[in-house]
Amino acid sequence: MWPVTVWLSAVLALLPGVSGKTDDLLVITAATEETEGFNRFMRTAREFNYTVKVLGLGEEWRGGDVAKTVGGGQKVRWLKKEMQKHKDKEKTVVLFVDSYDVILAGGPEELLWKFSRFKHRVVFSAEGFCWPDQKLAPKYPPVHSGKRYLNSGGFIGYAPDIYEIVQQWKHRDNDDDQLFYTLIYLDKDQRTKFNMTLDHKSRIFQNLNGAIEEVVLKFEKSRVRARNVAYDTLPVIIHGNGPTKLQLNYLGNYVPTAWTYENGCGICDDDLLYFNDVTDEEMPLVHIGVFIEQPTPFMEEFLERLATMNYPQSRLRLFIHNNVVYHEQHVEQFWNRHRSLFSDIRIVGPEENLQHGQARTMAVEACRSDPSCDYYFSIDSDVALSNADTLRILIEENKSVIAPMLSRHGKLWSNFWGALSPEGFYSRSEDYIDIVQAKRVGVWNVPYITQVYLIRGEVLRSRLAGVSLFQQEGADPDMVFCRAVRDQGVFMFVSNRDEFGRLVSTSNYNTSRLHPDMWQIFDNPVDWREKYIHENYSKIFEDAEDVVEQPCPDVYWFPAFSDRMCDELVETMEDFGEWSGGKHKDERLAGGYENVPTVDIHMNQIQFEKEWLKFLKDYIVPVTEKLYPGYYPKANAVMNFVVRYRPDEQPSLRPHHDSSTFTINIALNSKGKDYQGGGCRFVRYNCTVESPRKGWSFMHPGRLTHFHEGLPTTQGTRYIMVSFVDP
């Protein structure tokens, strides 16, 4: 059933003078169903205290597909019947506007005052296109300034005149209403009889089609207007006619008080759901669709978050589509760890050769075909939801389709578009940057969302029923989805009211490496830190914490690496396998000679030098500046290497100075578990550190003062990571 365009009939007892009696106001709308556009219109009507009566709710729409062709006559028939009640009210003013694609920006007093200034009995809105019959254009009266052609989406007039106009309707429901009113207006006798005119300069009515560039937001005190800059007017009624629905949605994010600088989001707390007193068994049932369509960093962490969401697992149904052979190991590990948590889980692997759109269709159909499915939650593998309450928060927002706002760390790349280009691709809206950077916080009606979103199950089974949501030949599934949702008049929202997480970059992910996540310090620095930096590292900079130790003079000891980083670095080096022989001759060095040789592998041998220098800059430099006040390191280092000590290979290292301003030495495994012996002795101070902690780093001056030696490893294998910083 195609939703009928809705009409507002405001019945006003207009007295002589500028303003009228708004106590007699009656707002009449006509709608077959309460869509989100209708509810938005009604909200703006309530804000200005319009009284509303609805016609046609629950009736079948027979007025044609007005979004694609002519039609809408059913509205005139309804209005014709309604006007019987008001035909003798000489001073009553009737206002009609569409409502699915209309927002009200001003109140009845302003409306009546502006109408009175026209000094006409009937005023129709105007636009720049002659629709639906362009051949009628020459018959219009000439206009020297403003829009020339009639638009039936809004008109205002005295009740007896409107009654006489609509009594002429003797057509079918799917005939065109705008053509009907146009022919009456173009009849000079009727135009004179009813004293009709058009609102050429958008004093009351603003039709957006053909005028988008003319309309801007005007932020007033605790209120927002749409201003027509071409005519310097502030229209009362904003109509997103034709292909301008998305621009109306943008304006509706602000007008009249949806978001203001003074109060922020004025509608965000309307119609929220609350589950404080709801038991786990009574929580909504959610089908989750997980999509691993490309090699993605930090996959283990992504899957683990599915098991740690703050939502009762008994109310979750899980569908996983993995299209990447490399990630089969991660999905299997997740399944083995958490299979008991989910009562219903389906995993579709790469061997089934499902196309992207087919997989998404399979997942959403599981919810659409299940009457007990309350919500469908779709999430892609490049989404890092650090907020465990995300699902619950989105449900509480009570929207048909909503996404949490996410972006890549430090970048403007996000999971929504604020606007579309005429071709239907990305276009940056005026407020996009402020939304991404949380300078404007709210729940935003947008034309495109991707990667993670929630859909109400009832909407899937009603307004989106029978619609192909993801599959179209040659089209991206996300583009297909958003276009399908928009075409059905369903709003898509993105919320930045909470901090939800971030997007993971997948562009430079090389799965040919043993542990490819290690190389992600540039592209995904937050995820890299969470996985590879010691959990107590940040306490180094907290004055109340006593984390840093000084076992010897000017030798500092602090947490640096996680156990995971230590293990993966060692495994990477052993997998590479090209350990030096511990000889003085070393072709890896510029001079070909190493004065104090070790059995080692340099970072540049495994193509990790750039990433290592980034680690030094981001994590070692701040510690150095804190521990050695007044010294500002450049974080240059040409000698960065992992050393291996074994009793039968190279158990120790003779006393020496390092060719550095300062050196870091990070223990990569555990004494007593992986090896015996080892440690470091600083000769001048006769100070020995015999029990290095895994993941902790020494930091000490290099030249002149800290002559030191590596103590013998007596059993097992000891690994350390060494950098000579600022040589």
Side-chain angles (χ1 to χ4, degrees):
M1 176 177 60
W2 185 262
V4 65
T5 308
V6 184
W7 293 71
L8 165 66
S9 170
V11 184
L12 303 171
L14 186 63
L15 299 178
V18 171
S19 63
K21 273 189 177 180
T22 61
D23 292 343
D24 298 329
L25 173 63
L26 173 63
V27 178
I28 302 175
T29 69
T32 56
E33 56 183 321
E34 297 182 19
T35 67
E36 288 170 301
F38 172 75
N39 290 332
R40 174 182 61 190
F41 168 75
M42 295 297 288
R43 174 175 53 78
T44 62
R46 288 192 298 271
E47 281 202 49
F48 294 108
N49 294 318
Y50 289 97
T51 303
V52 180
K53 178 182 178 181
V54 181
L55 304 176
L57 277 179
E59 293 191 28
E60 180 184 356
W61 173 246
R62 298 196 298 266
D65 189 348
V66 293
K68 298 179 180 179
T69 184
V70 297
Q74 188 174 9
K75 298 181 296 185
V76 188
R77 177 169 63 82
W78 283 336
L79 182 58
K80 177 180 178 180
K81 180 180 179 181
E82 181 64 25
M83 288 308 300
Q84 292 281 350
K85 305 173 185 177
H86 312 293
K87 62 182 179 179
D88 298 324
K89 298 177 180 178
E90 294 289 339
K91 294 184 178 181
T92 294
V93 171
V94 178
L95 167 70
F96 297 89
V97 291
D98 294 351
S99 72
Y100 283 176
D101 54 1
V102 166
I103 53 178
L104 299 175
E109 296 87 353
E110 178 186 349
L111 173 71
L112 291 173
W113 178 74
K114 288 183 174 180
F115 174 58
S116 71
R117 296 191 67 191
F118 274 94
K119 302 188 185 306
H120 284 265
R121 293 189 64 81
V122 177
V123 180
F124 273 80
S125 67
E127 64 174 312
F129 302 106
C130 185
W131 172 265
D133 187 352
Q134 295 183 8
K135 295 191 296 293
L136 296 177
K139 297 183 179 182
Y140 272 83
V143 174
H144 300 294
S145 177
K147 307 302 183 191
R148 185 180 180 186
Y149 306 109
L150 179 146
N151 180 279
S152 63
F155 54 93
I156 185 170
Y158 288 94
D161 300 281
I162 299 298
Y163 167 76
E164 286 196 46
I165 290 174
V166 297
Q167 286 307 304
Q168 300 180 46
W169 177 262
K170 295 178 174 58
H171 307 286
R172 296 171 300 181
D173 281 354
N174 62 353
D175 284 334
D176 194 72
D177 62 327
Q178 185 153 304
L179 180 61
F180 166 71
Y181 293 120
T182 296
L183 293 175
I184 293 175
Y185 175 74
L186 293 181
D187 183 327
K188 186 175 181 180
D189 291 339
Q190 295 215 68
R191 187 166 69 245
T192 302
K193 173 185 177 182
F194 298 120
N195 192 11
M196 299 172 69
T197 190
L198 304 185
D199 183 6
H200 299 293
K201 295 186 177 181
S202 302
R203 291 183 172 92
I204 294 177
F205 303 100
Q206 176 65 67
N207 292 301
L208 293 176
N209 194 17
I212 287 178
E213 299 301 323
E214 299 175 5
V215 180
V216 300
L217 291 172
K218 181 178 186 290
F219 289 90
E220 300 176 345
K221 186 176 181 180
S222 300
R223 181 180 173 186
V224 185
R225 298 295 297 259
R227 175 174 175 247
N228 187 304
V229 295
Y231 311 121
D232 195 21
T233 55
L234 295 173
V236 178
I237 296 151
I238 317 299
H239 180 206
N241 58 316
T244 63
K245 304 295 187 280
L246 301 185
Q247 184 66 11
L248 182 74
N249 292 346
Y250 166 75
L251 296 174
N253 284 329
Y254 297 93
V255 179
T257 59
W259 192 94
T260 63
Y261 281 109
E262 292 79 9
N263 302 317
C265 185
I267 60 174
C268 284
D269 292 331
D270 296 350
D271 304 319
L272 294 179
L273 301 176
Y274 296 97
F275 297 102
N276 297 338
D277 299 323
V278 177
T279 65
D280 285 358
E281 293 74 21
E282 295 173 319
M283 287 294 288
L285 179 67
V286 182
H287 283 234
I288 301 179
V290 179
F291 300 95
I292 308 169
E293 304 299 329
Q294 58 189 337
T296 308
F298 306 102
M299 179 58 65
E300 291 180 51
E301 290 74 17
F302 166 78
L303 292 170
E304 198 64 27
R305 293 187 190 102
L306 297 176
T308 56
M309 289 190 297
N310 185 19
Y311 201 88
Q313 264 107 12
S314 63
R315 304 301 292 163
L316 299 177
R317 305 292 182 263
L318 196 59
F319 173 95
I320 299 177
H321 177 241
N322 173 32
N323 198 36
V324 183
V325 173
Y326 173 75
H327 288 312
E328 286 188 290
Q329 57 181 321
H330 303 120
V331 173
E332 183 178 1
Q333 291 166 4
F334 169 79
W335 168 246
N336 290 334
R337 283 196 303 270
H338 301 299
R339 62 197 308 172
S340 62
L341 293 179
F342 301 95
S343 60
D344 186 354
I345 181 170
R346 180 177 182 184
I347 300 174
V348 178
E351 71 281 354
E352 298 197 31
N353 200 29
L354 269 188
Q355 296 299 311
H356 190 175
Q358 292 174 313
R360 292 188 183 275
T361 298
M362 181 182 294
V364 80
E365 284 299 329
C367 176
R368 184 149 54 181
S369 61
D370 179 3
S372 67
C373 176
D374 297 302
Y375 292 92
Y376 172 70
F377 185 55
S378 177
I379 181 169
D380 292 2
S381 59
D382 55 356
V383 170
L385 289 180
S386 56
N387 188 338
D389 291 318
T390 296
L391 179 56
R392 183 183 294 260
I393 291 170
L394 295 181
I395 293 174
E396 290 174 347
E397 290 289 357
N398 196 22
K399 304 295 185 185
S400 294
V401 182
I402 187 170
M405 201 290 293
L406 304 169
S407 64
R408 291 181 183 173
H409 176 72
K411 301 184 184 300
L412 295 175
W413 182 290
S414 77
N415 66 322
F416 80 98
W417 296 349
L420 296 182
S421 69
E423 297 75 29
F425 295 101
Y426 171 80
S427 180
R428 179 174 291 180
S429 61
E430 175 274 333
D431 55 2
Y432 177 81
I433 294 177
D434 282 352
I435 293 174
V436 172
Q437 296 180 342
K439 294 177 181 177
R440 300 184 189 183
V441 174
V443 180
W444 310 92
N445 188 338
V446 297
Y448 179 88
I449 56 176
T450 183
Q451 291 160 289
V452 55
Y453 46 82
L454 182 77
I455 309 174
R456 188 182 290 128
E458 179 272 330
V459 174
L460 285 173
R461 292 184 288 272
S462 56
R463 297 188 63 81
L464 299 178
V467 177
S468 178
L469 290 177
F470 299 104
Q471 292 180 264
Q472 181 179 318
E473 186 67 31
D476 174 76
D478 290 330
M479 297 287 287
V480 175
F481 168 72
C482 292
R483 183 168 59 249
V485 173
R486 295 194 305 266
D487 287 349
Q488 297 305 312
V490 177
F491 291 168
M492 292 176 286
F493 293 90
V494 64
S495 170
N496 65 343
R497 297 182 72 193
D498 296 87
E499 178 65 40
F500 295 105
R502 59 197 168 271
L503 298 179
V504 173
S505 175
T506 62
S507 55
N508 298 308
Y509 194 53
N510 184 353
T511 58
S512 66
R513 297 184 171 114
L514 181 64
H515 297 296
D517 288 358
M518 277 176 46
W519 274 259
Q520 290 294 305
I521 189 171
F522 285 101
D523 290 342
N524 296 293
V526 176
D527 300 86
W528 194 92
R529 174 174 179 145
E530 289 182 356
K531 184 168 185 174
Y532 292 125
I533 295 301
H534 198 286
E535 61 182 359
N536 292 327
Y537 170 84
S538 61
K539 294 181 179 179
I540 296 171
F541 308 98
E542 299 173 10
D543 294 335
E545 298 288 342
D546 190 19
V547 174
V548 179
E549 301 178 18
Q550 189 175 183
C552 300
D554 283 328
V555 177
Y556 294 98
W557 201 11
F558 58 89
F561 280 162
S562 67
D563 280 3
R564 188 67 176 268
M565 179 64 181
C566 295
D567 294 343
E568 291 190 6
L569 185 54
V570 169
E571 290 170 7
T572 297
M573 291 304 185
E574 288 293 358
D575 182 69
F576 180 71
E578 297 182 14
W579 297 94
S580 68
K583 308 296 183 182
H584 290 289
K585 183 178 179 181
D586 193 339
E587 295 180 354
R588 299 171 301 175
L589 305 180
Y593 183 83
E594 171 57 67
N595 187 41
V596 186
T598 54
V599 175
D600 57 47
I601 296 175
H602 289 193
M603 287 299 189
N604 58 18
Q605 291 179 261
I606 61 167
Q607 288 80 51
F608 198 70
E609 185 94 348
K610 178 164 59 80
E611 288 75 12
W612 183 259
L613 294 177
K614 173 71 171 171
F615 163 75
L616 294 180
K617 179 181 179 181
D618 289 356
Y619 296 100
I620 298 302
V621 164
V623 179
T624 308
E625 292 176 348
K626 177 179 175 65
L627 300 181
Y628 298 110
Y631 177 66
Y632 302 99
K634 303 179 182 63
N636 293 328
V638 294
M639 293 289 287
N640 308 291
F641 50 95
V642 171
V643 179
R644 183 173 73 184
Y645 290 112
R646 285 176 172 169
D648 59 349
E649 189 175 60
Q650 181 182 10
S652 61
L653 192 62
R654 67 177 177 82
H656 61 283
H657 283 295
D658 293 337
S659 57
S660 66
T661 301
F662 70 93
T663 297
I664 62 166
N665 178 329
I666 305 175
L668 299 180
N669 57 351
S670 301
K671 184 172 181 176
K673 176 182 177 182
D674 302 307
Y675 65 91
Q676 298 293 338
C680 183
R681 175 174 175 267
F682 294 90
V683 178
R684 172 179 290 187
Y685 309 106
N686 193 27
C687 180
T688 300
V689 182
E690 294 185 334
S691 299
R693 299 170 190 157
K694 184 178 180 179
W696 282 56
S697 176
F698 287 127
M699 178 184 290
H700 61 80
R703 296 184 178 87
L704 297 179
T705 57
H706 281 64
F707 195 60
H708 60 285
E709 63 179 326
L711 300 177
T713 297
T714 59
Q715 185 178 332
T717 303
R718 177 190 177 205
Y719 298 95
I720 60 173
M721 174 65 221
V722 178
S723 272
F724 297 159
V725 187
D726 293 350

